[in-house]
Amino acid sequence: WREPLLAGEYYSSFALTEPDNAGADPTNLTTTAVRDGDEWVLNGHKWFISNAATADFMIVVAVTDPDAERHRRTSQFIIPIDAPGLDVVRDIGSVENPRPRPYTYGSHCEVVLRDVRVDDSALLGNRGDGFLIAQKRLGPGRIHHCMRWIGQASRAFDMMCERATYRYAHGSVLADKQTVRNFIADSAAEIQALRLMTLHAAWRIDEEGTAAARKDIALIKFFGAKILHDVIDRALQVHGSLGYSADLPLESMYRAARAARLYDGPDEVHRDSVARQYLKGYSRPADDRPTEHIPTRRAAAQRRFADLLAEQP
Ligand SMILES: Cc1cc2nc3c(=O)[nH]c(=O)nc-3n(C[C@H](O)[C@H](O)[C@H](O)COP(=O)(O)OP(=O)(O)OC[C@H]3O[C@@H](n4cnc5c(N)ncnc54)[C@H](O)[C@@H]3O)c2cc1C
């Protein structure tokens, strides 16, 4: 599969998310792969599988070891798109594309697996490595998205600045209005910050590997999605109803930007991961119990104050 994929002859899709389980927590999956003789039999329901309708194969994450530790329960399988029992049911309408033309590239599909049979050669990596491989794949995938977001935000920024130089209202061009100048300055600062943070995360991946760069990748994932949205939003505002119209690309960029806060894991999960990793570097003083925390400190401060007063002549 790999050589034709790299040569651009094959397209792939990746099926993890399920409609009936929280995709934000991939340890909850219910799609199963059960051993039957020399084969695996897969059953399950997936959705929002990008490009499933036009892919040549699908990488499916399924539970192979339900009793294992929760990060070791799943495995990944490479399944040809025409395998009997694998049905791409529909292209899902979305904010980005409310009425997708059936079976077009770039759509997000609902997929059903009914007794799909594959042999061991379909197993990607080792049995039980499903979560691990997903983490490995999603790290570089996320930074790739951030690079595209920088490009999109820069395009919106250029459009905003250009428009500001010639649109005339209330006695001056928009570029002379303080609010618009703030839009421009804030956007420039944010894009620059995102660019440098993305470069830093990329450097960290190169130098120390994806696992070591986890925090940096999570940071740019939620920060980048917000910058993308905010810059496009400002550019659209500066264009008035022209920005809102489908005559310019801004409205479709704006709709596509909304998805960035969900795919590759919702913002909240990445924020939580960043906070968790930072908090590891801090610990509560051993003698400080939570219930006594504030009163103990207040009492200590009062004692110090009393001592200070006593020392005064
Ligand atoms: C455009 C697009 C393309 C996609 N492509 C693919 C694809 O190719 N393959 C694939 O497998 N999936 C794909 N997805 C699915 C995507 O990865 C999931 O939608 C995402 O992981 C969230 O899962 P969910 O939709 O089940 O939401 P849920 O898991 O139900 O989460 C819903 C909300 O709950 C909140 N939440 C969840 N966990 C926490 C937490 N720990 N703390 C605080 N709040 C929390 C968040 O606000 C979150 O948005 C795609 C989605 C989109 C929008």
Side-chain angles (χ1 to χ4, degrees):
W1 297 106
R2 185 174 54 201
E3 296 308 322
L5 183 69
L6 291 175
E9 292 158 14
Y10 281 179
Y11 286 93
S12 68
S13 59
F14 180 74
L16 179 110
T17 307
E18 300 176 352
D20 301 326
N21 299 295
D25 181 1
T27 60
N28 286 335
L29 297 186
T30 50
T31 295
T32 53
V34 176
R35 205 79 182 129
D36 182 26
D38 290 342
E39 291 182 317
W40 293 96
V41 184
L42 284 91
N43 281 287
H45 188 185
K46 302 280 186 186
W47 87 329
F48 265 86
I49 311 310
S50 302
N51 303 321
T54 47
D56 295 281
F57 65 90
M58 187 180 292
I59 297 174
V60 177
V61 189
V63 177
T64 46
D65 301 87
D67 299 326
E69 186 271 315
R70 67 193 190 101
H71 295 103
R72 301 288 313 160
R73 280 180 205 150
T74 58
S75 305
Q76 297 198 7
F77 295 87
I78 302 179
I79 304 187
I81 210 73
D82 56 2
L86 179 63
D87 285 334
V88 178
V89 179
R90 63 169 176 141
D91 294 288
I92 303 164
S94 65
V95 170
E96 186 184 337
N97 193 0
R99 281 169 290 279
R101 272 190 296 128
Y103 304 110
T104 47
Y105 185 75
S107 62
H108 314 293
C109 306
E110 186 165 350
V111 174
V112 173
L113 297 106
R114 279 190 208 89
D115 292 330
V116 177
R117 287 182 172 269
V118 286
D119 63 23
D120 272 336
S121 67
L123 200 57
L124 183 64
N126 295 316
R127 178 175 175 167
D129 276 354
F131 187 84
L132 196 78
I133 302 171
Q135 287 301 107
K136 276 192 181 164
R137 171 203 174 266
L138 285 171
R142 282 172 187 141
I143 196 166
H144 173 230
H145 278 135
C146 287
M147 294 171 194
R148 290 163 58 176
W149 297 344
I150 294 167
Q152 283 269 298
S154 303
R155 173 88 168 101
F157 179 80
D158 288 343
M159 292 175 75
M160 173 165 63
C161 293
E162 193 188 54
R163 163 88 168 184
T165 58
Y166 68 81
R167 190 67 166 179
Y168 193 87
H170 298 285
S172 71
V173 286
L174 297 182
D176 287 342
K177 317 284 181 203
Q178 191 176 28
T179 301
V180 175
R181 294 171 86 89
N182 286 344
F183 279 177
I184 291 168
D186 289 350
S187 302
E190 290 167 0
I191 294 170
Q192 177 75 335
L194 178 60
R195 179 179 285 117
L196 293 175
M197 285 165 72
T198 305
L199 280 169
H200 179 257
W203 171 80
R204 195 100 195 258
I205 292 174
D206 282 349
E207 293 293 313
E208 300 172 46
T210 312
R214 236 177 104 204
K215 186 171 66 186
D216 306 274
I217 295 169
L219 266 178
I220 56 169
K221 168 63 178 64
F222 75 80
F223 183 72
K226 177 168 166 44
I227 301 309
L228 176 71
H229 171 274
D230 291 356
V231 174
I232 295 172
D233 185 55
R234 291 177 197 128
L236 193 152
Q237 189 71 11
V238 168
H239 281 81
S241 50
L242 176 62
Y244 192 74
S245 79
D247 288 356
L248 288 187
L250 287 168
E251 60 83 25
S252 88
M253 288 159 70
Y254 184 75
R255 286 184 288 112
R258 186 61 186 84
R261 291 178 52 200
L262 290 169
Y263 57 70
D264 283 356
D267 282 4
E268 293 80 359
V269 172
H270 291 289
R271 283 200 167 90
D272 182 66
S273 160
V274 166
R276 196 168 358 101
Q277 290 172 69
Y278 270 101
L279 284 169
K280 275 184 198 159
Y282 295 82
S283 59
R284 201 167 55 219
D287 59 349
D288 222 1
R289 274 179 295 178
T291 49
E292 289 175 4
H293 191 73
I294 292 169
T296 311
R297 292 204 166 173
R298 196 179 297 135
Q302 280 166 353
R303 274 198 305 278
R304 278 199 298 278
F305 187 58
D307 292 346
L308 204 69
L309 286 180
E311 282 170 16
Q312 298 295 316

